[in-house]
Amino acid sequence: MPRPESATRVDFRSPNLEDGQHLWRMARESRVLDVNTSYAYLLWARDFAATSIVATVDDDPGGFVIGYRRPDEPETLMIWQVAVDERHRGQGLARRMLDELVDSLSREGVRRLETTITADNSASIALFTSFANARSAPIERTPLFEAAMFPDGHDPELLFRIGPFTTARPDGNAPSGSTTHGGVMSMTTTTEPATAIFDSLESQVRSYCRSWPAVMTHSQGSTLTSEDGREFLDFFAGAGALNYGHNNPALLDPLLDYLREGRIVHSLDMHTSAKRDFLQAFSDLILEPRNLDYKVMFPGPTGTNSVEAALKLARKATGRQHVLSFTNAFHGMTLGSLSVTGNSMKRRGAGIPLTNSSKIPYDDYFNGAVDDFMWLERVLQDSGSGVDKPAAIIVESVQGEGGLNAARLEWLKALSDLCREYDIILIVDDVQAGCGRTGTFFSFEEAGFTPDIVCLSKSISGFGLPMALTLIRPELDQFEPGEHNGTFRGHNLAFVTARAALETYWADESFQNEVQAKAAELRAGLTEIAERYEGATVRGRGLLTGIAFPDVSAAGKIATAAYECGLLVETSGPEDEVLKTMPPLTISSEELARGLAVLEEATASVLGSAA
């Protein structure tokens, strides 16, 4: 359900016995806290009130921090628990409670703070890390309690030790907008200062942060954590750049080893061992098993670099200038890529006419009323048509930004046959739909054809590091040395993580089978939601699937409601009419179900009860 508006008054005070039942309820409903017993909270409220704090939101208990001073080290405050009521999360309340408590105790000699956190509790790690950073205080992380010490199967606990700090805050003052009334701190909610620099200095062209204003600090797997400790389930995956999730240990560990060894990071297109190892793995695990004979070009670090290289090479190899692309296509933001992109808003950003390209209808553009490729084949056959034969046709098998339009496999195969018959280079833009997103490594595999050129980026590095490939048939490898180059072609850190991703997930078909099973779960869940609303339809393929709504404003509103409930999901299509889900390929079935439940609730909150 949508989160209520931020309260206008927040008070901080010491706990009392009457708080016991509220504190117990908050701890019980927080999945990361040890609940213990309600009796323990009554004792705490009586005996540790001076070193703990409760936040009330419009007079309602909204959160607490439990602490005590170490008997053997009175200058150290040990924090046992932090909890915020579900209704008041996402407003920075945990951090503010911690600040208020430490501020008050620093006057009594507290100079250090300690807490214990399990390694997977990213919200608490983010909270205490941001606390230390704000005070420029050192932070030490050391093992404290091993799993074998717990009789109940508890995870190991790390000791976080922060300090010393001379004052709780750099200026030693209370927060702006706060006043003190009889020992109770009262605060009127103001604009979060943590975002002020973005508004004052960063260009207005920024977009995602307008929909998701939280300041993110940590990520793991399918979860991101903001600096106020709020967790977000990720159905976005870096716009497809994080197919294997955030900070995947299988990729992170070899990357850290590579850096610690003092290995080369930047190398242009020189020979490096990291590039050699990646190329060998790509050949052994991707190209050879699929009988693909491609030369690998490193055009620059982004998807639009890959597309630009493909367009230039097609024109050079054929001696022809014109390129055909499809309605609602998206291929990048540089001038060549924009020329084959359909979105009018993005095309306007070029500031000049975008020439040497034309748009033709994508699969089912006329709802089956016109035979596929009838017009194109006719003008190619007719020497008097006045239409020059194009150098290339560029296509996405699933239009990720264009509304999750998924071409039928037989349509893709027919397009390939047409290009082959008329000696037209076929370019498949697999920047977003590739690297397993549709259920196979390449999105075109199931259609049974081989493109002349393939563009890859986003998740080819596996870790969110910039990297792009342009795969070309050997006879098209016609650039002279240096004719298409760039400073950041040799991103060795990306080579390391890309190789690790291939060896971990693509050495056999097991991961591919898992992705296809999860894709079926996602489609079933989205279909169940769509069937409840007249006119809503499911689009896409694999883990690149969403719901199109007849009310073009619905998807954006649902995405906003989902964000308020802790789920990141974006929209797609020329009018943002499609709710687009793109979770990591490594997401668990439990996380997938949880995200679908949020989408179901968010959709109901926007569109009302199902029909």
Side-chain angles (χ1 to χ4, degrees), residues 5 18-19 36 79 93 95 103 140 144 168 210 279 360 366 388 392 395 400 409 418 444 497 557 567:
E5 293 183 4
E18 294 178 356
D19 292 322
N36 295 318
I79 299 297
L93 195 56
R95 173 63 186 279
D103 276 356
E140 300 176 7
L144 183 62
R210 299 182 188 276
L279 285 170
I360 56 178
F366 293 110
D388 294 331
V395 66
L409 300 181
L418 183 71
F444 55 81
T497 56
K557 294 175 182 177
L567 178 71

Side-chain angles (χ1 to χ4, degrees), residues 328 343 401-403 405 539 572-577:
N328 292 311
N343 187 286
E401 301 301 313
N405 306 304
R539 293 184 183 177
S572 175
E575 297 182 87
D576 289 319
E577 73 277 13

